[in-house]
C-alpha cells in the first residue's frame, strides 16, 4: 500500500483541483484505477489551447478572419462568399471527460487584436446572455507628448480599439458555448490568452442568463453561428483620455444594464476599471484616468 492509498478521496480531489491543468490531469488517469475514477470529478479546470482551429488560412487568427468578414459586410464585393464553418467543438470534446466542472479557465494561444507597433490595448469583458460590461485600457509606448497627432486620428482610432476589443470578446464568448451548454453545474468561466491581452468572464448569474436565453431563442443561435461570434448589443460607453500619459480608458455597458448617470456612473466606472486593472501593473494609470473628464458615446448593436 502506497501513501496515496491512505488518503481520502476528498483530499486527492483537492490536490487535483490544485493541479487543474487538463493535460496533467488526463495523464494522472493512467496512474491507477482509483485516479482514473477520481480525475473526472475534478471541479477546477485549466484548459490551455495550443491553437484556435479555423478553416481559413493558418496565418489568420479566428478574430482576424471575423474582422475581414466585418469589413466585407460594410464594403460588400459583387461575389461575396458566406462565412466559413469553423470547428468550435475541440474544447467541448476535451472537457467532456470531466463530469463536475465548477470553475473553468481557458487560455488561448495568443491575443486577437492587430495593432500598430508600440500600441498596447488591454480589455476585460463580462458576459451573461450577451455582453454586459467591457473595460478597455490602451496606450502608446514612446509617444512624444503630441499624442493626438502621433496617434493619427484621435477619437477615430480609439473607437477602432473599442470595436476591435468588443469583437474579440464576443468571439471568445461564442467559442465556449457548447461547454457552457453541457456543463450545467459550472459557476465561473474565464477565457484569457497567453499574451495577457484580454479576459472574457462569465460568472454564476451570467451563466444562468445564457442558458435560460438559449432555451427560448433558437433563432439567436442561428444568427450567432452565421456571424461566428455573439452579437454585441447596443452599448453606451464613457471614454477618458489623458494626452500627458498617452493613455485612454473606455468603460462600456449594455444599454439595457445602464442604470446611473453623473456621480453614480463615475463610481460604477471606477469599480469596473479597478476590478479589471487596479491590481495589475496598469493600476496607477487607470486611477489617474478615472480623474479625467469623460465623454459619453453610444453604439448600436452589431
Amino acid at each position: 500500500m502506497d501513501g496515496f492509498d491512505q488518503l481520502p478521496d476528498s483530499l486527492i480531489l483537492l490536490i487535483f483541483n490544485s493541479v487543474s491543468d487538463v493535460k496533467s490531469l488526463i495523464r494522472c488517469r493512467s496512474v491507477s484505477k482509483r485516479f482514473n475514477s477520481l480525475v473526472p470529478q475534478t471541479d477546477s479546470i485549466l484548459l490551455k489551447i495550443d491553437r484556435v482551429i479555423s478553416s481559413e488560412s493558418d496565418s489568420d487568427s479566428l478574430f482576424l478572419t471575423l474582422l475581414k468578414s466585418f469589413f466585407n459586410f460594410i464594403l460588400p464585393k459583387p461575389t461575396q462568399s458566406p462565412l466559413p464553418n469553423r470547428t468550435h467543438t475541440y474544447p467541448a470534446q476535451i472537457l467532456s471527460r470531466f463530469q463536475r466542472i465548477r470553475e473553468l479557465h481557458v487560455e488561448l494561444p495568443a491575443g486577437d487584436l492587430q495593432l500598430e507597433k508600440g500600441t498596447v490595448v488591454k480589455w476585460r469583458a463580462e458576459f451573461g446572455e450577451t455582453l454586459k460590461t467591457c473595460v478597455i485600457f490602451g496606450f502608446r509606448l514612446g509617444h512624444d507628448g503630441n499624442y493626438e497627432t502621433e496617434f493619427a486620428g484621435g477619437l477615430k482610432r480609439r473607437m477602432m480599439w473599442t470595436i476591435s476589443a468588443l469583437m474579440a470578446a464576443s468571439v471568445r464568448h461564442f467559442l465556449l458555448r457548447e461547454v457552457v451548454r453541457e456543463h450545467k453545474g459550472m459557476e465561473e468561466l474565464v477565457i484569457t490568452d497567453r499574451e495577457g491581452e484580454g479576459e472574457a468572464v462569465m460568472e454564476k448569474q451570467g451563466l444562468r442568463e445564457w442558458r435560460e436565453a438559449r432555451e427560448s431563442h433558437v433563432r439567436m443561435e442561428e444568427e450567432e453561428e452565421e456571424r461566428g461570434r455573439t452579437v454585441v448589443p447596443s452599448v453606451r460607453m464613457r471614454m477618458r483620455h489623458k494626452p500627458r500619459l498617452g493613455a485612454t480608458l473606455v468603460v462600456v455597458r449594455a444599454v439595457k444594464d445602464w442604470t446611473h448617470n453623473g456621480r453614480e456612473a463615475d463610481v460604477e466606472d471606477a469599480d469596473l476599471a479597478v476590478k479589471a486593472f487596479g491590481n495589475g501593473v496598469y493600476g496607477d494609470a487607470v486611477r489617474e484616468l478615472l480623474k479625467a473628464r469623460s465623454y459619453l458615446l453610444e453604439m448600436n448593436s452589431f
Side-chain angles (χ1 to χ4, degrees):
M1 177 181 292
D2 61 29
F4 270 105
D5 289 333
Q6 301 177 38
L7 298 178
D9 289 353
S10 58
L11 185 54
I12 293 178
L13 285 172
L14 187 61
I15 294 171
F16 287 160
N17 285 331
S18 297
V19 172
S20 75
D21 178 64
V22 165
K23 289 183 179 179
S24 299
L25 289 170
I26 290 175
R27 292 190 186 105
C28 286
R29 296 189 67 172
S30 63
V31 172
S32 67
K33 290 182 178 179
R34 187 183 184 200
F35 277 24
N36 185 53
S37 65
L38 288 176
V39 165
Q41 300 178 42
T42 308
D43 62 20
S44 181
I45 299 294
L46 168 62
L47 173 61
K48 295 181 180 180
I49 298 178
D50 296 325
R51 183 182 177 197
V52 176
I53 301 171
S54 172
S55 61
E56 291 231 344
S57 168
D58 289 347
S59 63
D60 286 353
S61 70
L62 178 58
F63 171 72
L64 185 57
T65 297
L66 286 166
L67 195 59
K68 287 178 180 178
S69 69
F70 178 71
F71 284 112
N72 286 338
F73 176 76
I74 297 175
L75 302 171
K77 298 179 181 179
T79 57
Q80 183 177 358
S81 59
L83 284 172
N85 292 324
R86 298 177 184 84
T87 303
H88 299 287
T89 55
Y90 166 64
Q93 290 170 350
I94 295 295
L95 295 171
S96 65
R97 307 180 190 191
F98 297 88
Q99 304 162 358
R100 302 180 180 178
I101 298 177
R102 184 171 54 86
E103 298 174 357
L104 174 61
H105 181 182
V106 178
E107 182 182 86
L108 300 178
D112 298 303
L113 303 185
Q114 306 297 313
L115 303 169
E116 64 185 60
K117 186 177 180 180
T119 301
V120 178
V121 174
K122 306 289 183 180
W123 55 268
R124 182 182 189 275
E126 293 190 21
F127 285 87
E129 173 188 352
T130 57
L131 180 78
K132 298 170 75 68
T133 66
C134 185
V135 182
I136 303 159
F137 171 65
F139 63 94
R140 184 176 174 84
L141 298 170
H143 72 94
D144 60 7
N146 190 359
Y147 184 71
E148 293 297 336
T149 300
E150 182 183 322
F151 228 171
L155 179 61
K156 180 180 179 181
R157 181 59 58 89
R158 285 173 239 138
M159 287 302 298
M160 285 305 299
W161 294 354
T162 302
I163 293 171
S164 297
L166 292 175
M167 289 185 68
S170 69
V171 168
R172 294 190 187 187
H173 184 240
F174 176 75
L175 183 66
L176 273 295
R177 69 196 188 285
E178 291 300 328
V179 174
V180 175
R181 193 195 318 275
E182 293 173 9
H183 296 273
K184 301 185 184 303
M186 192 187 304
E187 297 180 0
E188 182 180 61
L189 170 61
V190 179
I191 311 172
T192 61
D193 60 87
R194 276 167 219 169
E195 297 176 353
E197 176 191 280
E199 180 178 86
V201 179
M202 293 182 75
E203 296 180 343
K204 188 174 182 178
Q205 180 61 34
L207 289 162
R208 183 184 300 116
E209 289 177 9
W210 187 93
R211 293 186 185 101
E212 290 174 353
R214 290 312 182 275
E215 288 177 359
S216 56
H217 295 91
V218 177
R219 185 176 178 181
M220 179 188 297
E221 288 206 356
E222 293 174 351
E223 292 177 358
E224 291 176 352
E225 188 69 39
E226 182 179 355
R227 293 171 185 258
R229 62 175 175 85
T230 302
V231 175
V232 177
S234 297
V235 297
R236 289 177 182 165
M237 59 191 81
R238 287 160 62 95
M239 182 179 292
R240 294 171 171 86
H241 175 58
K242 282 262 187 177
R244 178 177 60 83
L245 295 176
T248 298
L249 178 69
V250 186
V251 179
V252 181
R253 294 189 195 87
V255 169
K256 63 184 179 62
D257 296 324
W258 189 279
T259 56
H260 297 114
N261 291 297
R263 178 60 183 164
E264 291 179 325
D266 288 338
V267 172
E268 286 189 355
D269 284 0
D271 289 343
L272 288 170
V274 170
K275 183 178 181 180
F277 303 113
N279 297 322
V281 295
Y282 307 116
D284 291 341
V286 166
R287 289 183 177 86
E288 188 68 21
L289 282 161
L290 286 168
K291 301 174 186 176
R293 178 181 177 183
S294 65
Y295 299 87
L296 181 62
L297 304 165
E298 295 194 17
M299 185 183 299
N300 291 330
S301 174
F302 63 91

